[in-house]
Amino acid sequence: MDSLFESVEGENREERLAELARQVSVCTRCDLALNRTNTVFGTGDPYSPLMLVGEGPGENEDATGLPFVGRAGKLLDDILAAVDLTRQDVYITNIVKCRAAAQEGGRLKNRQPRTGEIRACNPYLQGQIEAIKPRVILCLGGPAAKTVIDKDFKITKDRGKWYDVDGIKTMATFHPAYVLRQRGDDLDRAKRAVWKDVQAVYAEYQKALEERG
Ligand code: URA
């Protein structure tokens, strides 16, 4: 599937992304294509030094075609605002571009994407990374970290650490949806961890902007 990206090589960044988004919109590489309303490719500044990688669209994202528009998205906005960033300052995408869902009690409920679905979608994420060439990647949650950093990544043990992924400074933190599920002391701990991680990411983002001049 490397040829997918080679076929859009040589065009400018927006054109490469537009072509990838077009390919995603008609993708049938896995069964997630069967039930989707919209594909969710990614949004934000394709020239940002910072890319955020989440897990995948849920019900709200599937309905709108935009990443992180539900409750987790609202918390993501607050996390970014804690370091004076907005969605427009970064590029946001996911490891899979279609909603993973399963029938439960007569209705479709969001579920984690399966390994085969993540693998099928990976060339699109790699294409986005190659086009955008971010200086820093922040993975949101374990599945994103396992996909981008290391298959054996353990989010509770390994979050908040820097990894070199093909020359890109990469970190993982807890997924906003995970934070929302915590209560009491666990909620405080999870929030403190994410806020600490995002400060470290922001410092690298600033450094990248300064170096760019
Ligand atoms: N959770 C994700 O990981 N991505 C989204 O786009 C929305 C919720």
Side-chain angles (χ1 to χ4, degrees):
M1 194 65 175
D2 286 347
S3 58
L4 177 156
F5 193 67
E6 279 159 24
S7 70
V8 292
E9 198 77 60
E11 298 154 17
N12 76 30
R13 198 171 294 200
E14 279 105 327
E15 283 170 355
R16 286 180 180 193
L17 290 170
E19 172 56 17
L20 275 174
R22 191 198 61 75
Q23 293 177 12
V24 164
S25 73
V26 293
C27 179
T28 53
R29 286 175 54 82
C30 80
D31 283 351
L32 295 185
L34 297 174
N35 293 313
R36 71 178 174 227
T37 310
N38 289 293
T39 55
V40 179
F41 182 69
T43 53
D45 178 5
Y47 293 89
S48 176
L50 174 58
M51 178 186 271
L52 306 190
V53 182
E55 185 175 307
E59 187 175 7
N60 300 306
E61 292 78 17
D62 175 68
T64 58
L66 297 168
F68 285 98
V69 291
R71 277 183 73 220
K74 172 73 186 69
L75 181 55
L76 182 60
D77 286 338
D78 293 346
I79 293 164
L80 290 171
V83 286
D84 257 346
L85 289 176
T86 69
R87 280 172 192 248
Q88 286 72 46
D89 297 318
V90 302
Y91 189 86
I92 305 178
T93 189
N94 286 299
I95 54 172
V96 296
K97 315 303 191 213
C98 297
R99 180 190 184 197
Q103 284 287 347
E104 222 182 281
R107 66 179 295 256
L108 273 182
K109 295 274 289 262
N110 297 339
R111 63 160 173 82
Q112 278 203 351
R114 302 194 177 102
T115 310
E117 294 159 351
I118 295 170
R119 199 177 298 136
C121 216
N122 197 245
Y124 300 125
L125 175 62
Q126 293 310 318
Q128 288 173 302
I129 294 172
E130 283 178 45
I132 292 168
K133 297 184 179 43
R135 289 279 301 276
V136 184
I137 293 178
L138 178 62
C139 298
L140 302 169
K146 283 175 194 281
T147 304
V148 175
I149 302 174
D150 188 287
K151 66 177 180 14
D152 296 322
F153 196 93
K154 299 273 183 296
I155 192 75
T156 40
K157 182 165 74 68
D158 300 328
R159 57 137 280 278
K161 300 177 190 167
W162 286 113
Y163 295 83
D164 181 327
V165 179
D166 299 329
I168 303 170
K169 289 199 115 196
T170 305
M171 183 187 281
T173 194
F174 293 128
H175 194 286
Y178 167 85
V179 176
L180 286 172
R181 288 195 299 272
Q182 307 308 302
R183 295 288 175 268
D185 288 352
D186 290 342
L187 178 60
D188 290 343
R189 261 194 296 275
K191 276 192 167 174
R192 252 198 303 275
V194 173
W195 259 246
K196 178 165 175 263
D197 297 345
V198 81
Q199 303 280 346
V201 165
Y202 181 70
E204 288 300 326
Y205 163 89
Q206 275 294 352
K207 221 190 277 177
L209 282 186
E210 279 158 25
E211 281 170 22
R212 190 192 274 177

